[in-house]
Amino acid sequence: MRPKKTNNASQTWEMMQCSREVLGATCLQKIFSRGQTQINRYCSSPQHEDHQRNPLDRLQLLFTKLDEEGEKELVIAALNHLCDSIGYRVQEQGKVIPDKLTVEEECLDDYPEKVELDRLIASNAAPELVRRQGEHTCREIMETVVSYEEHCKNK
C-alpha cells in the first residue's frame, strides 16, 4: 500500500491529469474506451488549443441540466452511486431550516416521510431507495427538532 499523498488538483483537467499519473494512460484508455490522444486532451489545460471537455466536466453539465429540470433526486442518486465505490454518500450543505410555521406542523410533516419509509421496507424496495427515503425522513425529523429548539428559546 502506498503512503497517502496530498492531492492539490482543483480543476477537472488537473484531476484527470492526476488520474493519468496514478493509473497510467493505458488504464484510462480502457476505462473511457478512448485512445491516447483523447486521454491527453482530457488532461490538458483549457489554455491548450487541443483541450477538450473531459468526463468530469460532462457529468457536471449533465447534473446541472437535470437539476434545472427539477430532477435533483436523480442527481443525488447518481452522485451516491459514484460515491459508493469509496464508501461515501452525498450530504446537503448548510444547516437544517424548518419549513413549517409551528412545531406542531413540523411534527405532522414527519409522518408522511416515515410512512413512505415503512411502505418501501414492507414492499421489499431496493436498499438504495430505502436509504434515500430514510435520509429524507431524518431530514424532516431534524427540521422538527430545530423548530422545537427555536420554540423553546423564544419562550
Side-chain angles (χ1 to χ4, degrees):
M1 189 165 104
R2 289 193 271 188
K4 188 174 181 180
K5 183 175 137 182
T6 302
N7 188 308
N8 296 321
S10 62
Q11 303 296 312
T12 58
W13 65 270
E14 293 171 322
M15 294 172 201
M16 292 297 297
Q17 227 175 41
C18 290
S19 299
R20 182 179 59 189
E21 288 170 14
V22 171
L23 300 175
T26 304
C27 182
L28 292 184
Q29 286 174 261
K30 289 178 183 175
I31 290 171
F32 295 111
S33 299
R34 297 288 180 259
Q36 178 69 45
T37 304
Q38 186 62 45
I39 297 300
N40 289 340
R41 287 184 186 125
Y42 289 162
C43 301
S44 67
S45 165
Q47 296 170 342
H48 192 274
E49 67 182 49
D50 210 21
H51 170 77
Q52 198 169 71
R53 190 178 294 162
N54 62 57
L56 296 173
D57 290 331
R58 292 173 190 274
L59 276 175
Q60 185 176 31
L61 180 60
L62 171 68
F63 294 159
T64 300
K65 297 268 187 209
L66 286 169
D67 185 42
E68 289 170 359
E69 293 297 321
E71 292 295 336
K72 182 177 263 181
E73 289 300 316
L74 177 57
V75 173
I76 292 169
L79 288 169
N80 280 330
H81 173 76
L82 294 172
C83 292
D84 189 54
S85 65
I86 58 169
Y88 280 72
R89 290 191 64 78
V90 173
Q91 183 174 342
E92 189 174 355
Q93 292 179 332
K95 67 179 195 169
V96 175
I97 299 171
D99 58 357
K100 302 295 179 263
L101 297 175
T102 68
V103 176
E104 292 77 16
E105 288 175 339
E106 280 295 347
C107 287
L108 290 173
D109 202 29
D110 297 344
Y111 288 111
E113 298 297 337
K114 176 65 169 106
V115 168
E116 179 60 11
L117 176 64
D118 293 343
R119 186 195 68 74
L120 287 171
I121 291 169
S123 67
N124 291 315
E128 182 58 33
L129 294 177
V130 171
R131 174 170 288 281
R132 200 177 323 153
Q133 183 59 39
E135 290 167 348
H136 286 299
T137 304
C138 288
R139 174 82 182 177
E140 281 299 332
I141 290 169
M142 287 312 298
E143 287 178 12
T144 303
V145 170
V146 169
S147 179
Y148 180 71
E149 290 171 338
E150 291 172 358
H151 170 76
C152 288
K153 283 181 197 173
N154 296 329
K155 276 186 171 183

